[in-house]
Structure formats: structure tokens, C-alpha cells
Amino acid sequence: MTSNPLNPSNGDDTPKDPLTEMLQNLMGGKGMENFDPSELAKAAGLPDDPNLLAQMFSQVQAMMSAPSEGPVNWTLAHDNARRVAAGSSDPSVSAQQSREVDEALRLAELWLDPVTDLPATGLIGKAWSRAEWVEATLGTWKRLTEPVANSIANALSSAMTEQMPEEMKSMMGGASSMLQNMGGAIFGMQLGQAIGALSKDVVSSTDIGVPLADLEMALLPANVAAFGEGLSLPENDIRLFLAVREAAHARLFVQVPWLRGHLLGAIEAYARGIHIDTSRIEELARDLDPSNPEGIQEALSQGVFMPQRTPAQEQALEKLETALALVEGWVDELTAAATEKVLPSAGALRETVRRRRATGGPAEHAFASLVGLELRPRRLRDAATLWATLKDERGIEGRDAIWHHPDLLPTAEDLDDPKGFSSRRKLAEASDSEVDDALQKLLSGGFDDASAEDGGAADTKDAGDKDDDDGTGQPKG
């Protein structure tokens, strides 16, 4: 008799419950004689449907066997991201697609040369599948999400351990390591799912405005095709427009070396300030409906553990949003300048991208809810207006010189009033110049000389006053 893979045989044609088999593997086959697996499933908030349990079995086994380097199981995050990315269809990039992407990015570099002072990167353009995007970016995702991910994983693990029935705790026995890693495993799977979903939306390596893959320039042909659906525009025009955006991002991040660290640092600073609402986690663990095993995952995806932002968080968020807007505004302005005379559909594509970046897609919203971090340039249009104003006032070279140092970057106030940026900057530069002059005078001893001269004049005056004094306090004569 052939065994059902979803309900395996124990050798005597009696189907074996997959959860029973899992626990026997965990505990060496001991302590299972008088135990009803369905009761444990209910206590753990798991479904008692054997088919659903079988589907969860492989993931639970992975939790148990995969070593975790910290509170979050990044192996599960990686595997789940790859699985979701390939969930519908993720064919390998064909030779023709690679050639089309390479040609588009080469042409994009040529179109950008006249509209920016930053030189070309020399990077080789690549065509990626969704899985390749996951592999290229997961390291940066880990860096950006680790602070809040660790907090959530630790809180989940503690809450589940405290709320677990005593009889279940005793049965787990030697599997205590699973309890310690369960929170990190749950969050790892959720994070992987969010990243995998994003891999279906992004059209390039820098599509969300952040350099997730260092020193790379790539398009995702499958997603570029999906982006163009319903636009009624030539496929080649869409590919070229998106290639110009990708090449502009790459040129900025490569030729302004400090910018990547500045942007990622702003994201990390914001993420470190996120505090997890542990009371909500404890409440969820206490009130979890056994018939709804997706409760924790659903709560995570809705961001129910994120408390309201503190004033410090609001400041960090403003800094982050300003930085994202400046990058996206610059790219938006350059792309428009590079394509307006060569792509008839450039105007329509620019507006489509602007709306897409301003609102974000479902996958981006899910990621934001999960880690409390939104990567949308809310002020893209304001930033584009600012860069256009600077080009009119200072020319291309003067505009791009703003990227020479982080201290030169415009602020949120400058986005509010783009036309007043230059006058404010002149005042600031004049103030700095006065400080520099005073400091140079101090270092050269100029202030000492002035004090000596003032002191000498005072001594002379005092001596003169004494000569005029006849000892009675009145002048002589």
C-alpha cells in the first residue's frame, strides 16, 4: 500500500499524524503513549487538519534544525523570500532579455552625460530574475531591519514562553531551544515573505530609492513587463525610461561615495528608535484563538506592535524622508531632462512613476507595517522642484556640487521653500565665514595683539590721569 505523503504510514498501514512524528523525532520517541496530538495542536494555536499540519511540518522542521545566529532566523527569512519570489512564476532571464537590458542601460548612460556633471559609472548593466534580486539585496535588508527585527523576535519568544500551558512546557523538555527561537523563526518567515513580495514589484536594483545592492546596475525584465501592462506604451520606451532612472541612481551612489552610508545610516537610526509594544504581544499570546493559527502572522503584517512615534522618532523620520526625497527628486529631474527630447512617452511615464513612488504598492505597505519603516519619498515633487530651481540659478555643475558634502544638502525647510534656498545658503555661508575669520584671528594671536594695544592705551590714559591729579582728587591747576 502506498503511503500518503501528507499522512505518512508508520509501517502497519495506520496513518501517522505528522505532528506526532515531529514530536517523536524531537523527544526520541518517548512520552507519546498517552498524548493526543490534536489537543497539543489546539493548545499551540495550530489547526488540527492533518493536511495543513503536513504543510507546516517542513517549516517547523527547518526551525528546529537551522541554526540561528541571533534572535531572528535569517535562514528562514532567506528561504521564504526565495519561495515567495518564485511562487507564481520567476523564469530565468533569457539571453535576449539580457541583451535588451544591457543595450538600454548603455544608451541611458549616453543620454545622462549632457544633463549631469557626475561622470558615468562604468558599471556593467545586468538583467535579474526576482530570485537574483533577493540574493543581491538580502544582506542590506538584514542590516536595515535587524534592530526592530531583534526586538520583535525577543518579545514574541518571551510572550509565547510565558503564555504556554505548563503541561506543554514540560512535554517540550529537550526542545527548549525551539521555544527560544520560535519568535525569531516566525518573524524571519514574515520578513522573508515581505521581501519576496517586494521582489515581484521592483523593476530595478534601486527602485525604492535605496541602494540595496552596492555597486550594481540592474533591471528585472519580468517586472518591467508587468509595470508596462495597461499603459498602452511601446515596451522599448518603458524599458529605456526605467533604464535611465536606474543609471541615474547608480551614477549618484557611485560618484557620491558618502551618500549610501548616509542614507542607510538614517534608516538604521530611525529603526533603532522603534520600541516594541510588548503589552500588545502579551495580549495577543493570551487571547490567541486556537482556531486562527494565522493570528500572530496577521498581527505582524498589520504592525499592531508598533507604538506611536516619539518626538525623537519624528525628527529621525523627517531626516530620512528628506534624504529619500532629495535622491528621488534628483533622479526624477535628471530622467526628465535626459528623455524629454528622445522619448515621446517620457512625460506620461514620469507621472506614472511619480504616483507609484508616492503611494507605494501592497508589498511595500506590508513591509512598512512589519518593521515600522516606510521607504516612500513623500516629498518627491517638492525635491524635484528644488533641483530644477538650483539648475536655473547655478547651472548643472552648481546644482550637482550640492552632493559634494552632506553638510551642503538641502533641509526640509528648503523643500518647503525651494526658491529661498540660495538666499538662506548665502546667509549661512556668510555666518560660517565670520566664524572662520574669527577663529583664524584667534589662532594667529590677533586677539592678543588687540588686547595688548587696548591695554597699552588704557595704561597711558591712567598715567596721564595721575599726572593731572594733585593728590586731592582734583586736577592740578
Side-chain angles (χ1 to χ4, degrees), residues 203-475:
V203 298
S204 66
S205 74
T206 58
D207 191 25
I208 64 170
V210 178
L212 296 173
D214 193 20
L215 299 180
E216 295 281 9
M217 187 167 61
L219 295 180
L220 282 70
N223 294 355
V224 170
F227 174 89
E229 291 178 0
L231 294 181
S232 301
L233 294 174
E235 180 182 346
N236 191 55
D237 283 16
I238 296 171
R239 185 187 307 109
L240 280 169
F241 187 86
L242 297 177
V244 173
R245 283 182 52 82
E246 173 70 356
H249 276 112
R251 196 174 287 216
L252 183 60
F253 290 124
V254 169
Q255 303 302 348
V256 184
W258 58 264
L259 181 58
R260 185 174 192 266
H262 176 83
L263 197 57
L264 298 183
I267 296 173
E268 288 177 297
Y270 175 73
R272 278 194 300 269
I274 294 176
H275 299 286
I276 307 306
D277 190 348
T278 55
S279 63
R280 296 294 300 276
I281 293 181
E282 292 169 359
E283 179 183 344
L284 176 70
R286 183 174 60 251
D287 300 333
L288 186 64
D289 182 359
S291 66
N292 180 22
E294 294 83 14
I296 293 179
Q297 285 85 345
E298 183 179 353
L300 278 171
S301 65
Q302 294 176 356
V304 300
F305 306 142
M306 299 299 173
Q308 292 184 344
R309 298 186 184 104
T310 64
Q313 278 297 92
E314 293 292 351
Q315 292 180 356
L317 182 60
E318 181 181 277
K319 178 181 178 182
L320 173 58
E321 289 184 338
T322 300
L324 286 171
L326 289 173
V327 169
E328 287 297 277
W330 187 85
V331 168
D332 178 80
E333 181 65 17
L334 253 69
T335 302
T339 58
E340 62 181 353
K341 295 181 180 179
V342 290
L343 283 181
S345 56
L349 285 168
R350 183 186 193 188
E351 186 59 28
T352 300
V353 169
R354 279 182 163 189
R355 292 180 180 179
R356 176 176 176 267
R357 291 294 292 121
T359 59
E364 196 170 339
H365 288 299
F367 177 81
S369 297
L370 184 64
V371 300
L373 181 62
E374 294 183 349
L375 297 176
R376 287 183 286 133
R378 299 177 186 274
R379 310 196 62 182
L380 186 156
R381 295 176 189 270
D382 295 334
T385 300
L386 172 63
W387 291 118
T389 301
L390 290 176
K391 177 191 172 185
D392 292 340
E393 293 177 353
R394 305 181 177 201
I396 291 175
E397 183 178 357
R399 176 201 63 193
D400 293 347
I402 297 293
W403 294 110
H404 286 173
H405 194 277
D407 290 347
L408 300 177
L409 286 184
T411 64
E413 180 185 6
D414 297 320
L415 295 183
D416 293 333
D417 178 23
K419 295 188 180 299
F421 171 79
S422 293
S423 60
R424 284 189 297 274
R425 184 54 56 90
K426 287 178 181 177
L427 290 174
E429 290 171 350
S431 177
D432 291 342
S433 176
E434 292 174 1
V435 172
D436 291 341
D437 290 343
L439 181 60
Q440 183 61 39
K441 189 174 183 179
L442 177 63
L443 293 175
S444 63
F447 283 109
D448 292 338
D449 293 343
S451 298
E453 292 173 2
D454 292 344
D459 291 344
T460 303
K461 183 178 185 300
D462 290 344
D465 289 344
K466 283 186 178 182
D467 290 341
D468 291 339
D469 192 344
D470 61 1
T472 63
Q474 300 294 327

